[in-house]
Amino acid sequence: MSVVPETPDAPRSLSSPLTLPNGQVLPNRIMKSALSEALGTSDNAPDIRLTRLYGRWAEGGYGLLVTGNVMVDHRHLGEPGNVAVEDRRDMDALSRWAKTAQDGGTPIWMQINHPGRQGNPVTTVGGTIAPSAVGLDIPGIPAPRAATTDEIESIIERFAVTAALAEEAGFDGVQIHAAHGYLVSQFLSPLSNVRTDEWGGDIDGRARFLLEVIRRVRSRVSPGFAVGVKLNSADFQRGGFSEDESRAVIAMIGDLPVDLIEISGGSYESPAMMGKSVSASTASREAYFLEYAVTVRDIAPHIPLAVTGGFRTRAGMDDAIASSACHVVGLGRPTAVAPDAARDVLSGRIDTLPSPSISVPVPARFATTRSVRSLDGLLDLQWHTDQLHRMGAGKEPDPARPITRTLVSSLQRNGIDAVRAKRRGPAGAPSAAASSRMAGVLSLVRRYVVGPIVRIFRGGPTSGA
């Protein structure tokens, strides 16, 4: 396909192809954004269910498919079931995964990631690692230890090795995950990175890790292989990574050979990417991060922008592309219940995508507490993961799936230890704040989630007390 590079005054629509800086062509402007599938084998290889799932999305008409978290170190997983790519041992399975998507005419990029302090306590070997020994403000998650300079260099190298293996397996590109509170994002945030060496301090020092990862990755892959970055507009925490700092990072990325920047926001402490922590006025608009994207599109004008988070209507997507607010529309959770979303939108078959609202069944007075909002975000993520597992098993999504069934499947996938209080104070005992928050979460879970499950099994009513 021969496509003329985009110019500022060129007409564009959702169906317009997009030529990236490296010459790769996306057939349209709708991207299936990363969703963590948790469909790896027990030894972190791609499972046949991943092939089935991406075969389903390959039929969905997307311009680009981005995989869920592929970890660069099997000792540090975001959750059980993550794929980890460190060497050539799973090359056949990786190649089948890539080819399945490409058989539908869609490029596929591998999202490469390290969880840092967001590593799952059940699967992490040797404890979690982060820029600094600053724990998550989420009940039950143990505090990390600070990475040494040698460990930082080793992790940068791991990103490059994984990217090179992705190209060898036949993927069309990689996306470096620098958002949502994972390790690269942790380096960027002044809350989680309090280092005083060359990897911390001001935004130049805190951005160094991301920039070195980009440089190392690009040095190991061919010019035609795409390198993208997923970046937060902000982390939506007081004193955290701000929009001004995000704009400064985009200016730095603009000096490097990057092919696409995807804008998102938030973390699992403050899940703005799921609409859980943005303001009511922001949530009422269609795309949570579109206004921010408009403020950065001229900072690195040669790098296309994708925006993910909140797009639900064909009109909203059309407007975003036609107005040049962004070059690509990213869809995440809607693709878990509507795998043909892009084809349906582009053909005009549907005007509004389904958007199930997943929340813990608690009284209204508890719904806005931090513990409940954190649990809401986690269960929303797990509910959508359930839909991916259904498609991986060759079934259709189930938009009516009860949240109580998701709680059971979540505990099965992640292990009960993942919701136990493990954060330790200086004396080795659980900190009072962590224990209090954890007790509150578990009390709510027992009363309003576990209780209804028990009543279901006993054949009684399921309404909460």
Side-chain angles (χ1 to χ4, degrees):
M1 180 185 300
S2 176
V3 179
V4 177
E6 190 158 291
T7 59
D9 58 348
R12 58 182 66 85
S13 68
L14 283 172
S15 59
S16 301
L18 175 66
T19 302
L20 302 181
N22 70 338
Q24 190 173 125
V25 177
L26 308 185
N28 64 62
R29 306 300 181 95
I30 302 181
M31 171 179 74
K32 196 289 292 180
S33 295
L35 295 169
S36 189
E37 309 96 353
L39 285 173
T41 65
S42 60
D43 57 355
N44 313 120
D47 191 277
I48 186 62
R49 295 172 296 170
L50 271 173
T51 303
R52 291 196 197 102
L53 173 61
Y54 277 80
R56 188 73 175 82
W57 277 326
E59 300 171 351
Y62 300 92
L64 175 63
L65 298 176
V66 181
T67 75
N69 292 321
V70 171
M71 297 299 170
V72 300
D73 188 336
H74 76 278
R75 300 168 302 176
H76 296 274
L77 306 179
E79 60 185 321
N82 281 155
V83 172
V85 176
E86 303 172 307
D87 53 40
R88 302 186 71 258
R89 75 185 68 184
D90 300 317
M91 193 57 64
D92 289 345
L94 289 167
S95 295
R96 283 193 296 271
W97 186 9
K99 186 176 185 301
T100 296
Q102 294 158 343
D103 283 347
T106 304
I108 180 171
W109 294 4
M110 179 188 289
Q111 184 185 77
I112 56 178
N113 194 9
H114 189 298
R117 65 178 186 170
Q118 286 186 172
N120 186 286
V122 176
T123 59
T124 299
V125 177
T128 55
I129 191 171
S132 304
V134 179
L136 282 164
D137 191 15
I138 295 178
I141 305 297
R145 64 179 177 81
T148 66
T149 300
D150 286 345
E151 286 171 327
I152 290 172
E153 168 60 30
S154 175
I155 295 170
I156 293 170
E157 177 65 15
R158 283 181 175 275
F159 273 93
V161 167
T162 301
L165 290 167
E167 181 173 24
E168 183 180 348
F171 286 82
D172 299 290
V174 291
Q175 181 188 70
I176 299 164
H177 199 340
H180 299 173
Y182 291 103
L183 182 65
V184 182
S185 180
Q186 290 160 33
F187 269 94
L188 291 170
S189 171
L191 294 179
S192 51
N193 183 354
V194 295
R195 300 178 73 98
T196 56
D197 62 7
E198 66 269 30
W199 302 101
D202 60 16
I203 188 57
D204 290 332
R206 285 183 276 120
R208 182 182 175 192
F209 182 78
L210 169 59
L211 301 180
E212 289 301 318
V213 168
I214 295 171
R215 292 186 184 105
R216 189 76 59 86
V217 165
R218 177 49 79 190
S219 73
R220 300 293 179 80
V221 298
S222 67
F225 187 76
V227 176
V229 175
K230 185 165 190 168
L231 184 72
N232 274 355
S233 60
D235 59 19
F236 294 88
Q237 292 176 278
R238 188 183 301 275
F241 185 64
S242 67
E243 289 192 357
D244 284 343
E245 289 186 327
S246 181
R247 281 186 276 267
V249 171
I250 288 178
M252 298 177 205
I253 293 173
D255 293 329
L256 301 176
V258 169
D259 299 296
L260 183 70
I261 298 173
E262 179 184 359
I263 301 297
S264 188
S267 68
Y268 294 107
E269 290 179 289
S270 185
M273 64 283 197
M274 294 186 283
K276 301 290 184 182
S277 298
V278 295
S279 67
S281 60
T282 297
S284 68
R285 295 190 296 270
E286 178 138 343
Y288 312 141
F289 312 112
L290 198 60
E291 288 187 359
Y292 166 83
V294 171
T295 71
V296 301
R297 63 187 178 189
D298 295 328
I299 294 177
H302 57 291
I303 302 178
L305 283 180
V307 173
T308 298
F311 282 110
R312 295 297 181 268
T313 69
R314 181 160 52 114
M317 298 179 216
D318 275 331
D319 287 347
I321 299 299
S323 67
S324 300
C326 62
H327 301 84
V328 176
V329 165
L331 299 178
R333 289 176 297 158
T335 70
V337 289
D340 300 319
R343 184 180 64 193
D344 290 343
V345 167
L346 291 170
S347 68
R349 181 173 174 271
I350 62 173
D351 292 320
T352 302
L353 295 173
S355 182
S357 178
I358 310 303
S359 59
V360 180
V362 299
R365 66 182 181 275
F366 294 126
T368 58
T369 65
R370 169 168 286 200
S371 294
V372 171
R373 284 193 292 117
S374 292
L375 189 57
D376 266 354
L378 291 170
L379 286 178
D380 186 295
L381 179 70
Q382 295 297 325
W383 186 90
H384 285 86
T385 300
D386 285 346
Q387 307 298 338
L388 306 189
H389 282 227
R390 288 183 61 84
M391 288 190 281
K395 302 175 183 179
E396 287 298 307
D398 177 16
R401 182 178 178 84
I403 192 172
T404 48
R405 293 186 65 186
T406 288
L407 180 70
V408 172
S409 64
S410 175
L411 292 177
Q412 288 173 336
R413 274 196 297 269
N414 295 286
I416 191 65
D417 286 344
V419 293
R420 286 182 180 158
K422 289 189 174 182
R423 289 175 68 187
R424 299 289 169 181
S431 71
S435 296
S436 174
R437 284 193 295 269
M438 194 62 205
V441 171
L442 292 179
S443 175
L444 290 168
V445 170
R446 283 194 297 269
R447 182 172 183 183
Y448 297 109
V449 183
V450 176
I453 292 174
V454 171
R455 287 192 287 275
I456 290 172
F457 290 146
R458 290 176 176 172
T462 59
S463 58

